[in-house]
Every structure is written in C-alpha cells, then in structure tokens.
Amino acid sequence: MPTMADVARTAGVSVATVSHVLNGTRPVLPHTRQAVLDAIDELDYTPNTLARSLVTSRTRSIGLAVSAISNPYFTEILQGVEASALEHGYSLLIADPHDDPEHERKVVQLLHERRVDGMIVAPSADPRELVSYLRRHDVPAVFLDRVVDDRAEGAQRFDQVCAESAEPMTRLVTHLAGLGHRRIGLVAGRPGLSTTGERITGYRHGLAAAGLPFEERLLVHGDSEQAGGERATQALLSLAAPPTALVTANNAMTIGALRALRERNLTVPDDLALCCFDDFAWADLFSPRLTAIAQPSKELGAEAVRVLLERLAAPDRPARTVRLPCVFVHRSSCGCPDRPARPDTSEGLQRPERGADS
C-alpha cells in the first residue's frame, strides 16, 4: 500500500508539502498542489483518516444542520455544500433541526459530539440557544440562508452566508404595480425568520415606490409551508376587497397558494396575478409559467463551505456576512405575455459581485 512518502517522492516534493495539500494546513502553489494530486491518483493513495485525525485533531468532516431538507430549495443548497465539501476533502454529517429551537440545540450538540471540524447551520426563528452553545464550546460555524441578528448575544462572532431578500421582493411588487395592480397581497413566511422580515421590508418598499399604501390585511403569514400558504391565500381571497395580485415568499407557500386558487376555480393571471420567491425546477411547467425570484441555492451552499474553511484556516479573523445576488425570472403568471424558456428570460438584479461582503 502506497504511503505519504511514496506520494512525495513521485510528486518531487517533501512529505510536509503532501501533508499541507491533504490537510489544507498551509497554502500550496497551484502547480505543486496539482503535482501532489496527480501522484495521489497515479499511486491510488488513500490517506489514513483516523490516524490523521488523531495527530491533527481534525476529522475532515463538516456538520450541516438544515430544516426541511425535502424542500427543493434546501435540497439544492445541500448539493452545493456536499459538492464543495467533497472537492476540499471533507465528509458531511447532516441533521434536520425541524425549525425548532430546542431540537436545533440538541442537533448541534450531537454534531459537535461527532467531532466535526465546523458547522453550517440554517438557524431557526429563535437561535439564542444555538448561538449560546456554539459560543460556549467555541465551535467554528457559518449561519446559512438566514441572518442571525444581535438579539442572539454573540451572533456577531459568526460568519453568515445568505441571498439578498429585500430588494428582489421589491422588484416583484413594483413589477406588479407597473402592470396596474393596486391591491397586491403578500403570503409571508414564518415570523421571526430573517428571510421573512427582509421580504416583508422589500414588500413595503415596493408598495411605497409605487405610491401604494401598506394595508395590514393584505399581508398574511403562511409559516413557510404548503398548508400555511393555502390558508393564508384563502384568507386573502375572503377579504371584502381581495387582492388582484399576489406574491408568495417561498416555493412551498406558492404550491399552497395554487391549491387555494384551484379550490375556488380561479385562474392565473386572469383572476389573480401571481409572482413568487424561489424558482423551483417545475416553475416553468405550470400553465401559466411562474414569474419568480431565483435564489443561487447551490452557490450559497458552496460559498458557506468556502467561508467555513477560511474560518478554520484563520480562526481569529473578523466575522463577515456574505450576500449573493438573486435573479428575476420573467414569465407569464404576472400577466405579461409568455416568453420562450431561454437564458435571456432571466434578468439579474443589480447586486454586488458574488462573494462580496456586506
């Protein structure tokens, strides 16, 4: 069985350099790194992970705590995390906190006890126990998709990776207003989640930009799930003056809204214009095709891994929040003429370049 010394000899480098490539403990020149990787492939070298972890106190594993893994959005995030982790030689341990603060803390503790090198967590609406545990045990962690604000003491110590939420929502609202709609409803997500708060802010900004008043009755929480989205849409449709256009704040609630419309024999966009946050795989298979905000889900997952590995390499550097831009995907559920499904149907929102810090 080939050894690390054999790899070093074949690559023409020192054993220490091979170790740095395998463990990521020090930057290595690209051509040198490639020579080591080529030697590993040539010799079919398999590192002794257990022995290495005993020496380095590293397990080359990352814990991922994400709720609703069955949701296509989080499934794509998972794919991005997994691909990036594998590319950097890390394995992945996955747990579902079920968006419950107590279960979230237990899940994080379980991952910590498995000696993961760091964690990527999509925090619940009340992440105080989560943040407290991570701080108390000095666990390297990145908050993903949802921002944790200063209400959770010590949250500012942690890196965060998320997509823009407020401005894309504003874009949907102003688009509908530009089509002549004056009563635009919002099916918002679970209260307390940062994404919910930011999308409500974007909704209100969109109304203000269009010169429309904010009416509390036109905003109903759907709790970020299908059943809640259906209930919220039914409530909006039952108003004495129901909305003529609707924005749903995630993909699950979009499905719920469509169910509610079908139950009332209402059609989109003839009876109600519809725009949604999250562009899921079958959004362009509906009739009409759904106008949506597409989040960079796989890129978010990959970025979270990159930021976590940078944290592991430099534990004392200042924490940062990275926001990635979304894309406005213009189809026909908003009431506009349908467009062919070509790449030029997507319009990028003017946001900072990928990976820019906010």
Side-chain angles (χ1 to χ4, degrees), residues 167-331:
E167 192 162 345
M169 179 61 78
T170 298
R171 176 68 181 275
L172 291 179
V173 174
T174 55
H175 178 69
L176 290 168
L179 297 175
H181 294 282
R182 293 297 174 262
R183 293 185 62 77
I184 302 171
L186 173 65
V187 176
R190 179 170 296 155
L193 294 178
S194 67
T195 47
T196 297
E198 290 176 1
R199 289 168 197 175
I200 290 175
T201 297
Y203 168 72
R204 298 188 66 154
H205 285 172
L207 293 175
L212 300 176
F214 169 72
E215 298 183 39
E216 288 188 10
R217 291 175 297 177
L218 292 179
L219 191 162
V220 182
H221 287 276
D223 294 327
S224 303
E225 56 187 19
Q226 285 189 32
E230 184 174 354
R231 288 192 301 270
T233 303
Q234 292 284 15
L236 288 168
L237 295 175
S238 298
L239 293 173
T244 62
L246 184 65
V247 181
T248 51
N250 81 350
N251 55 16
M253 293 186 295
T254 300
I255 301 300
L258 290 170
R259 289 182 184 276
L261 293 171
R262 185 182 64 185
E263 289 177 9
R264 291 181 175 241
N265 294 317
L266 298 177
T267 61
V268 175
D270 296 335
D271 296 311
L272 185 79
L274 177 66
C275 291
C276 57
F277 220 101
D278 287 339
D279 185 41
F280 41 100
W282 54 88
D284 65 346
L285 299 179
F286 286 97
S287 181
R289 298 162 63 237
L290 297 178
T291 294
I293 293 296
Q295 298 193 79
S297 47
K298 290 184 180 179
E299 291 83 356
L300 284 169
E303 188 75 6
V305 172
R306 184 182 72 82
V307 171
L308 178 60
L309 295 184
E310 289 181 356
R311 169 62 56 195
L312 293 174
D316 296 327
R317 69 166 175 75
R320 55 183 174 156
T321 296
V322 180
R323 286 189 181 267
L324 302 188
C326 295
V327 173
F328 177 80
V329 185
H330 191 183
R331 299 190 182 106

Side-chain angles (χ1 to χ4, degrees), residues 95-109:
D96 187 340
H98 301 298
D99 269 335
D100 175 77
E102 183 177 354
H103 190 64
E104 177 178 66
R105 199 270 305 157
K106 291 179 180 178
V107 159
V108 165
Q109 181 177 343

Side-chain angles (χ1 to χ4, degrees), residues 38-117:
D38 290 344
I40 289 172
D41 287 342
E42 178 184 338
L43 298 173
D44 195 23
Y45 170 70
T46 302
N48 187 330
T49 305
L50 177 59
R52 187 171 63 196
S53 68
L54 291 174
V55 173
T56 64
S57 297
R58 294 281 184 89
T59 60
R60 304 290 292 182
S61 62
I62 294 172
L64 175 66
V66 176
S67 295
I69 293 174
S70 60
N71 184 314
Y73 170 66
F74 283 112
T75 300
E76 290 190 359
I77 283 183
L78 170 58
Q79 291 171 354
V81 171
E82 184 177 42
S84 183
L86 183 62
E87 178 185 350
H88 290 90
Y90 281 77
S91 60
L92 204 59
L93 296 180
I94 306 171
D96 187 340
H98 301 298
D99 269 335
D100 175 77
E102 183 177 354
H103 190 64
E104 177 178 66
R105 199 270 305 157
K106 291 179 180 178
V107 159
V108 165
Q109 181 177 343
L110 181 64
L111 291 172
H112 185 218
E113 290 171 353
R114 295 295 186 274
R115 300 183 64 236
V116 296
D117 293 340

